[in-house]
Each structure stands twice: as structure tokens, then as C-alpha cells.
């Protein structure tokens, strides 16, 4: 009997693992389980809707899903529908690829006020993740604040600034596109604790801030390095390009377009202010020490706003008694191995960093571990899980079902959009009849 593997999570970590497993062990059988009826994790629910080309990798994952050794079982949540212990009883190996979906907290007073969102929530909202459909951020204000200096912060700021026309041909959740289109936002502040040279965002994303129909991007020229400052070697090309674009934005005037995006550096949030809901954020100016540490200067200022989106990273979540490393906020593992027969891949293993492709080597590593299990493989895998889920009356969404959901989403699209996403699980299942 061939090796049987259950992968929990159908994002890049899960799919790269499945692809490596069937390549290295052609007679294995792989079941990819996801709590949502839709596959591909953050490719669907994280990657910005106006960056459709970054989602094309899903077509390659689709080929893996349709390989004869592989099954997708959507709408199956661990441990709600099946526990890790049960999966381990049924499969020779179990791989956790559950991502890092929990927002890190700012750790400042007032962050529980209504109107303060983490990036997973806010990005999930505009990407139609069923968990966040009801978020209903109050966009009736003139000012939004985004905290963070990575590409996710730029995604949020850019999408808040885009017009309905600019997102028409995307798959942004229709309710979010409508809400943002009519929002009277005039100022969007993006705050980074460090300087422009330390920012994690990449030049392609910075460049887009010069191409917005309705928004002009502003940078204080005083924070930019002089032409004579040597850029650090690491990422030098990208940094140079970043600084080039930021210099352009520093020459902009604020009155050129109705919306102003303020890319601000050397400032960190110290308190969110308001009664029940956000009315302002208090920021403190920072400076960098010679060894690159951020220190507060004691100089504070307030920005009135009704919405704060904290894009300061996420963490994985403990799952069903699997050993969890609280300090590093991910599953305890040694190079992807939690213990014999239990492995971890993607952001659940490494934490939330890198691109889709960064998860690729995790899959190869899982396959290496799995190869060692082949001689002793004996567990029944798929048949046992099917029986268990049938006994529990779980409505499993197969890959063929997903293709029907996808076809319904595509049929509902208009104005050149790739799809009109369903926003609830009942609607997705309803489309299957
Ligand atoms: C906002 C944002 C934008 C990004 N944009 C880009 C980009 O443009 N280009 C790029 O290359 N990278 C981008 N990335 C990074 C990329 O999305 C990640 O590297 C990648 O998705 C991580 O893959 P993963 O499989 O570890 O996690 P995920 O993609 O999060 O997949 C985890 C999967 O596990 C499932 N799951 C979780 N818990 C359970 C459970 N208990 N039971 C069953 N299933 C479960 C989830 O439903 C999900 O499908 C972006 C990330 C974010 C957050």
C-alpha cells in the first residue's frame, strides 16, 4: 500500500508540499484539507485584488489538485470536523500548512476601540473572506491611518485610495469596492517606525503610488537620504528604486488630486484615542540609533481619524494540542518536523514572511521526510477519512465542486472582472445546488 498524507491547509505551503510529494513518491496519496470551500489560501484572500498576475500561480496548483494521487477536501475544519489525532490515525503523515492568520497586536492603549483593524481582518474584508464579510469599517471619515512599512500596508493604502473605476476589473469584494468608491476619504496616512531605507516594501509597490487616478502621494523630503548616502548592500537595487520613487513623491503638491496619501517615516503609534470608537491616533516621533534600533523621541502628535489598519504582521495559531512555540508564535518544529509523522510547511512553520515562492522549499523538505516513511507505510488514508466525515455529515467540497463554484463566480462577473466572489460559505455551497 502506498504512503498516505493529509495536508491541513490549501495555501502555497500546502500545495507546494503536495506537488513535491507526488513528484518524489509517485504512488503516494495526498488529501489536502481546508476549512473553506475555496482553495489557495492567501492567494485568494490575501494577495491584492488589483494584482491579479500574482494569483496566476493558482493555475499551477490546480494541476496538482487534479493529479490522480491528490484530492481537495474543502469545507473541512480541523479540529471541528476531524482532529489531528484522528488524521494521524488514518494517514502515514500529516502536514500542517495552516498559515499565520492571526493579527499581531499593536500593544498600545485603545487598540480594542471600534475602527481599529488588523491586516488579516481588513484584507480579508476587501478580499471577500467569509470570516470578515461583516467587518463594515466606517469609511465615512475623511482620514484613514495605516500602520506598517511592508507591502501589505501599501496594498491597504492603495486600495483605499483607488476609485471604483480603478478596481472595476478586479475581484475585490463587491461590497468593499462600493464602500470605498463612495467613501469621502481625503487623507490616508501610512506610518513607518523606521526610515525609508529600512522599509520592507518593494519598489514595484511603491511605484504604483505615482499612478493613482484620484490620489497624490506625498513624502517629506527631510526624511529622505541625501544623494551622497551609501545605500546598504542588501537589497540595494530595490532600495535605490524605492528612494527614487519617494524623491518623486516628495516633489508633489498636495492639491493635485482629491486624495492625499502621506507616506510618513520615523513615527510609531502610542495610543488610539476615542470613546467606544476611534477618533484619533497618537503618534510619537522616533529616531534610529547608530546600530539601527528605534528609539522614541518623546515628541508626540495626534491624527484625527475613524479607522486604523495595523499591518504589523500576523502569527500562526495553536491547533489541537500540537506543540506550539509561544515565543516565536508558530508550531514547534525542527526544520519542518514536529515529530515523526507530523510536519509543518509555509507560514505555520516559518512565520509570515516572504512571497508565495518562498514557501516552495518547505514542500521539498516535507517530501524528504515522507520518503523515509515509505517502507513502513500502512495506513488507509482517504477511505477512512471519507467514512469519518460521512458519519459526521460534513459537506465536503471536492475540487470538482470548487471548479463549479469558480464557474459560478466567473459567470457573475462584469466589466472585465475575473470573477464576482461569493462572500459566504452558504452562498458557495448554495451554488452547488
Ligand atoms: C495581505 C497579503 C498580501 C500578499 N501578497 C502577496 C503577493 O502579492 N505576492 C506574493 O508572492 N505573496 C504575497 N503574500 C504572501 C503569500 O500570500 C504567503 O507567502 C502564502 O500565502 C503563505 O502560504 P501558507 O500556505 O503558509 O498560508 P495561507 O496562504 O494562509 O494558507 C493557509 C490555509 O490553511 C487553511 N486553514 C487554516 N486553519 C485551518 C484549519 N484549522 N483547518 C483547515 N484549514 C485551515 C486556510 O483556510 C488557508 O487556506 C501576501 C500575504 C498577505 C498577508
Amino acid at each position: 500500500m502506498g504512503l498516505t498524507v493529509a495536508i491541513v491547509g490549501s495555501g502555497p505551503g500546502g500545495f507546494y508540499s503536495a506537488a513535491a510529494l507526488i513528484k518524489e513518491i509517485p504512488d503516494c496519496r495526498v488529501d489536502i484539507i481546508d476549512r473553506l470551500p475555496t482553495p489557495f489560501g492567501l492567494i485568494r484572500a490575501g494577495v491584492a485584488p488589483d494584482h491579479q498576475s500574482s494569483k496566476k500561480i493558482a493555475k499551477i496548483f490546480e494541476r496538482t489538485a487534479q493529479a490522480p494521487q491528490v484530492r481537495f477536501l474543502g469545507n473541512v475544519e480541523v479540529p471541528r470536523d476531524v482532529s489531528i489525532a484522528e488524521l494521524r490515525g488514518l494517514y502515514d503523515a500529516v502536514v500542517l500548512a495552516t498559515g499565520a492568520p492571526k493579527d499581531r497586536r499593536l500593544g498600545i492603549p485603545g487598540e480594542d476601540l471600534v475602527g481599529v483593524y488588523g491586516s488579516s481582518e481588513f484584507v480579508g474584508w476587501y478580499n471577500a473572506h467569509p470570516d470578515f464579510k461583516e467587518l463594515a469599517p466606517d469609511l465615512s471619515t475623511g482620514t484613514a491611518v495605516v500602520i506598517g512599512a511592508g507591502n501589505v500596508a501599501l496594498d491597504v493604502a492603495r486600495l483605499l485610495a483607488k476609485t471604483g473605476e480603478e478596481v472595476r476589473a478586479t475581484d475585490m469584494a463587491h461590497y468593499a469596492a462600493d464602500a470605498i468608491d463612495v467613501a469621502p476619504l481625503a487623507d490616508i496616512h501610512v506610518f513607518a517606525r523606521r526610515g525609508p531605507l529600512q522599509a520592507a516594501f518593494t519598489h514595484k509597490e511603491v511605484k504604483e503610488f505615482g499612478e493613482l487616478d484620484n490620489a497624490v502621494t506625498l513624502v517629506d523630503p527631510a526624511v529622505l537620504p541625501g544623494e551622497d548616502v551609501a545605500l546598504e548592500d542588501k537589497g540595494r537595487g530595490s532600495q535605490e528604486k524605492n528612494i527614487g520613487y519617494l524623491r518623486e513623491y516628495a516633489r508633489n503638491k498636495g492639491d493635485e488630486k482629491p486624495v492625499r496619501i502621506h507616506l510618513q517615516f520615523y513615527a510609531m503609534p502610542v495610543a488610539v484615542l476615542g470613546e467606544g470608537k476611534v477618533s484619533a491616533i497618537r503618534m510619537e516621533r522616533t529616531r534610529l540609533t547608530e546600530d539601527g534600533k528605534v528609539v522614541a523621541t518623546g515628541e508626540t502628535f495626534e491624527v484625527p481619524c475613524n479607522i486604523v489598519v495595523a499591518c504589523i504582521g500576523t502569527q500562526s495559531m495553536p491547533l489541537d494540542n500540537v506543540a506550539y512555540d509561544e515565543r516565536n508564535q508558530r508550531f514547534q518544529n525542527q526544520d519542518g518536523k514536529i515529530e515523526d509523522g507530523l510536519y509543518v510547511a509555509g507560514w505555520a512553520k516559518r512565520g509570515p514572511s516572504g512571497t508565495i515562492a518562498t514557501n516552495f522549499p518547505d514542500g521539498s523538505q516535507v517530501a524528504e521526510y515522507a520518503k523515509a516513511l515509505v517502507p513502513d507505510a500502512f495506513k488507509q488514508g482517504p477511505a477512512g477519512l471519507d467514512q469519518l466525515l460521512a458519519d459526521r455529515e460534513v459537506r465536503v467540497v471536492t475540487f470538482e465542486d470548487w471548479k463549479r463554484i469558480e464557474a459560478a463566480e466567473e459567470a457573475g462577473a462584469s466589466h472585465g472582472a475575473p470573477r464576482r466572489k461569493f462572500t459566504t460559505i452558504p452562498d458557495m455551497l448554495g451554488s452547488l445546488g
Side-chain angles (χ1 to χ4, degrees):
M1 191 186 273
L3 185 86
T4 55
V5 184
I7 298 174
V8 185
S10 70
F15 265 102
Y16 282 129
S17 298
L21 282 162
I22 59 172
K23 179 164 175 266
E24 297 296 329
I25 314 170
D27 67 343
C28 72
R29 276 167 302 150
V30 180
D31 280 351
I32 308 176
I33 294 165
D34 206 288
R35 58 185 285 266
L36 296 178
T38 54
F40 310 135
L42 288 172
I43 294 175
R44 178 176 166 103
V47 173
D50 59 342
H51 285 176
Q52 286 297 316
S53 62
S54 305
K55 297 178 188 253
K56 281 190 184 146
I57 182 81
K59 285 283 161 213
I60 294 180
F61 293 157
E62 190 169 312
R63 288 212 287 275
T64 300
Q66 289 169 331
Q69 307 98 316
V70 177
R71 302 192 309 167
F72 170 71
L73 292 91
N75 200 35
V76 178
E77 182 164 332
V78 176
R80 182 193 66 191
D81 300 317
V82 54
S83 70
I84 294 289
E86 287 166 332
L87 288 174
R88 296 193 70 189
L90 290 168
Y91 293 83
D92 298 303
V94 173
V95 181
L96 305 182
T98 45
K102 187 175 170 205
D103 283 308
R104 281 200 187 129
R105 290 176 63 80
L106 285 164
I108 59 174
E111 74 171 308
D112 293 320
L113 290 169
V114 172
V116 183
Y117 305 106
S119 59
S120 284
E121 296 177 290
F122 197 78
V123 169
W125 172 72
Y126 66 59
N127 270 326
H129 190 298
D131 286 359
F132 305 111
K133 177 187 188 312
E134 306 297 340
L135 202 70
D138 178 5
L139 299 172
S140 65
T141 163
T143 307
V145 167
V146 180
I147 307 290
N151 284 338
V152 176
L154 295 195
D155 283 351
V156 169
R158 184 184 70 251
L159 286 162
L160 279 172
K162 279 200 168 179
T163 61
E165 192 54 39
E166 284 175 291
V167 296
R168 199 177 292 279
T170 76
D171 61 357
M172 188 180 219
H174 57 89
Y175 55 73
D178 292 348
I180 292 173
D181 192 34
V182 298
L185 277 174
D187 290 281
I188 301 167
H189 296 265
V190 183
F191 284 112
R193 289 192 319 152
R194 295 162 189 269
L197 284 177
Q198 291 77 31
F201 48 60
T202 49
H203 62 87
K204 262 175 63 194
E205 279 69 19
V206 183
K207 179 171 184 269
E208 290 176 72
F209 279 75
E211 299 163 350
L212 296 166
D213 285 354
N214 226 16
V216 59
T217 302
L218 304 172
V219 174
D220 176 359
V223 301
L224 295 176
E227 306 276 352
D228 53 334
V229 171
L231 303 179
E232 287 161 27
D233 283 342
K234 190 165 166 280
R236 189 190 155 96
S238 186
Q239 272 183 345
E240 265 176 3
K241 288 182 186 153
N242 278 352
I243 300 298
Y245 293 123
L246 295 176
R247 284 201 178 108
E248 272 178 34
Y249 305 153
R251 288 192 284 272
N252 285 340
K253 308 267 175 290
D255 55 2
E256 291 156 15
K257 292 178 183 172
V259 180
R260 289 171 298 275
I261 302 173
H262 310 261
L263 295 184
Q264 306 206 48
F265 298 89
Y266 301 111
M268 64 182 193
V270 287
V272 185
L273 312 174
E275 295 289 325
K277 59 188 273 196
V278 184
S279 59
I281 186 162
R282 182 174 300 138
M283 305 294 300
E284 182 166 0
R285 300 243 179 251
T286 62
R287 64 177 178 80
L288 292 187
T289 60
E290 272 186 9
D291 56 353
K293 291 211 178 75
V294 179
V295 285
T297 62
E299 182 192 344
T300 62
F301 59 98
E302 287 175 15
V303 181
C305 59
N306 290 121
I307 170 169
V308 173
V309 186
C311 305
I312 55 166
T314 58
Q315 62 187 77
S316 66
M317 300 220 293
L319 186 68
D320 201 13
N321 296 325
V322 177
Y324 188 77
D325 175 355
E326 288 290 347
R327 208 172 126 251
N328 293 307
Q329 300 168 336
R330 53 187 182 232
F331 295 104
Q332 265 177 32
N333 73 92
Q334 188 65 43
D335 296 329
K337 178 171 165 178
I338 298 174
E339 56 187 72
D340 282 337
L342 184 61
Y343 309 100
V344 59
W347 280 12
K349 171 191 165 196
R350 289 176 290 102
S353 68
T355 63
I356 293 167
T358 315
N359 302 288
F360 176 85
D362 297 346
S364 312
Q365 200 173 40
V366 161
E368 279 307 305
Y369 290 125
K371 274 201 278 190
L373 303 175
V374 169
D376 299 321
F378 69 98
K379 296 187 182 169
Q380 59 171 323
L385 182 61
D386 287 350
Q387 186 61 55
L388 184 148
L389 295 174
D391 290 346
R392 292 177 188 169
E393 299 182 9
V394 178
R395 168 57 168 105
V396 177
V397 172
T398 63
F399 203 74
E400 292 67 39
D401 289 337
W402 151 245
K403 292 300 290 175
R404 287 167 58 208
I405 295 172
E406 185 184 45
E409 289 189 336
E410 287 169 357
S414 56
H415 305 293
R419 61 189 68 79
R420 180 180 164 105
K421 282 180 176 174
F422 289 116
T423 59
T424 69
I425 292 176
D427 285 349
M428 292 173 196
L429 300 182
S431 76
L432 297 173

